[in-house]
Amino acid sequence: MIKVIITGAYGMMGKNIFSVINNKENIEVVAGVDKFNDGSLPFPVYDKLSNVEEKADVVIDFSNPALLDDLLSYAKETKTALVIGTTGFDEEQKAKIKEASKECPIFFTYNMSLGINLLVNLAKKAVQVLGDDFDIEIIEAHHNQKIDAPSGTALMLADAISEEFDKPKKYEYDRHSKREKRTKDEIGLHAVRGGTIVGEHQILFAGRDENITLSHSARSKEVFAVGAVNAAIFMAGKENGLYDMSGVIE
């Protein structure tokens, strides 16, 4: 039985993760971490990860970037595997995650959806076929409460596409202040914010007289919970290192 601690246990993602785990036979939640605790969850919830008494195989984290240092310290000290689903990390924090993975196993991706990670692979294949003859634009849409833009997933898609070219592409986020033609060495990224959109991503390959669009639409946050739980099962017993969804969807 794989034992899991959920950080951000009372958040929307925390509750979705518990619901997914509760319907599986080979994995269970032994504890949670959250500053809020009304006693409604059927497992002990602590205010700090360092206070957790239960032993676990994996910590699934959907909390806050500000708590990263505590999360990494706990994982390194206890040699517990991490599945990091929190978004909004800056470059310094991403470097800390990479460095910590030398001392404990860490699963880190910008998006836990299996579909999005399949979209990454399809986009890379499209670049291999289409080459440099098509202009590439990425359009993402999220709910009106999302703070960062463009989304981490949009940047993940752009990075994966850029890696397929001999020379990295430059990212163009805003054209309203420029009066010049689009260049061939750029990827445009566009953010839409409104309503309760869970997450939509489109990759447009615009060529001469033909367009190709790859897209993914998340209809509920449960798709991310399913991916996180699959990642936790994948990470149980793994050696130190940095892992991502490519290992899960192989």
Side-chain angles (χ1 to χ4, degrees):
M1 182 70 74
I2 299 169
K3 300 183 182 299
V4 171
I5 296 169
I6 302 174
T7 63
Y10 275 99
M12 186 177 296
M13 281 305 305
K15 291 179 179 179
N16 272 298
I17 289 166
F18 171 64
S19 177
V20 172
I21 290 177
N22 204 37
N23 288 306
K24 287 184 174 289
E25 296 181 353
N26 62 336
I27 186 169
E28 65 175 349
V29 179
V30 296
V33 178
D34 205 307
K35 288 186 178 298
F36 172 82
N37 184 5
D38 63 5
S40 62
L41 291 174
F43 50 81
V45 177
Y46 301 84
D47 61 343
K48 293 181 180 179
L49 189 55
S50 58
N51 292 336
V52 175
E53 299 176 359
E54 289 74 13
K55 300 296 183 182
D57 302 295
V58 185
V59 175
I60 301 179
D61 172 61
F62 277 90
S63 55
N64 188 292
L67 303 178
L68 179 64
D69 288 345
D70 289 342
L71 181 70
L72 296 179
S73 294
Y74 176 87
K76 289 187 291 185
E77 289 173 7
T78 62
K79 304 302 179 185
T80 306
L82 291 181
V83 172
I84 301 178
T86 299
T87 59
F89 295 113
D90 59 28
E91 292 304 316
E92 182 180 351
Q93 289 174 312
K94 293 174 192 174
K96 287 182 178 181
I97 292 171
K98 185 175 181 180
E99 185 64 24
S101 70
K102 298 175 183 178
E103 300 180 53
C104 60
I106 299 179
F107 184 102
F108 177 62
T109 181
Y110 290 105
N111 193 301
M112 287 291 175
S113 161
L114 293 173
I116 278 289
N117 285 275
L118 175 58
L119 183 65
V120 169
N121 291 346
L122 293 174
K124 292 167 77 74
K125 179 63 176 179
V127 172
Q128 294 166 15
V129 174
L130 302 175
D132 211 16
D133 294 331
F134 284 65
D135 297 325
I136 304 171
E137 301 281 307
I138 298 173
I139 306 98
E140 57 94 347
H142 286 85
H143 53 86
N144 57 22
Q145 300 301 301
K146 186 171 179 61
I147 298 173
D148 55 314
S151 68
T153 299
L155 292 171
M156 177 179 74
L157 292 168
D159 289 346
I161 290 169
S162 183
E163 288 172 0
E164 294 301 309
F165 291 94
D166 293 333
K167 293 179 63 177
K169 296 287 188 178
K170 67 177 182 180
Y171 299 163
E172 187 64 60
Y173 302 102
D174 183 13
R175 294 194 178 93
H176 88 278
S177 61
K178 299 169 62 175
R179 294 187 60 82
E180 59 186 55
K181 293 181 180 179
R182 186 192 198 281
T183 60
K184 294 295 295 182
D185 64 342
E186 69 183 61
I187 296 175
L189 292 106
H190 313 277
V192 176
R193 297 289 177 267
T196 59
I197 302 171
V198 175
E200 298 182 1
H201 293 84
Q202 295 182 23
I203 308 170
L204 170 65
F205 294 88
R208 184 178 178 84
D209 299 327
E210 65 176 334
N211 298 331
I212 300 167
T213 301
L214 302 176
S215 66
H216 176 271
S217 178
R219 303 305 172 89
S220 79
K221 288 187 177 294
E222 187 170 320
V223 299
F224 309 123
V226 170
V229 173
N230 287 337
I233 294 171
F234 169 76
M235 289 298 290
K238 284 288 188 292
E239 296 181 355
N240 296 348
L242 192 61
Y243 301 81
D244 59 29
M245 196 62 80
S246 62
V248 178
I249 63 177
E250 285 180 348

